[in-house]
Amino acid sequence: IDFDGGYCIVGGCATNADCSGDGVCSFIQNGEGVCLDGCSVAGDCRPNYTCADVDGNGATECFPL
């Protein structure tokens, strides 16, 4: 995955509560995931990102196009 402009991730997560702000705990495998920026529409994300439920967890997050 190429996170255009980089992506700031501090540690892992097991639930959304482990992420700051509107962060979403995504891509959870073996009990650990990564915090991605939560969103409602693509306009919530920076350029070259879209808002989608890319990992099928029921929450939408900003993800590279």
Side-chain angles (χ1 to χ4, degrees):
I1 301 169
D2 181 19
F3 287 99
D4 184 29
Y7 209 92
C8 183
I9 299 172
V10 179
C13 58
T15 69
N16 291 344
D18 296 331
C19 303
S20 62
D22 66 349
V24 176
C25 189
S26 300
F27 299 101
I28 300 173
Q29 295 181 3
N30 299 320
E32 188 166 325
V34 294
C35 293
L36 298 178
D37 189 19
C39 58
S40 296
V41 296
D44 293 340
C45 304
R46 64 183 171 183
N48 299 319
Y49 282 69
T50 190
C51 182
D53 179 8
V54 294
D55 64 353
N57 68 354
T60 52
E61 52 267 340
C62 293
F63 202 77
L65 292 173

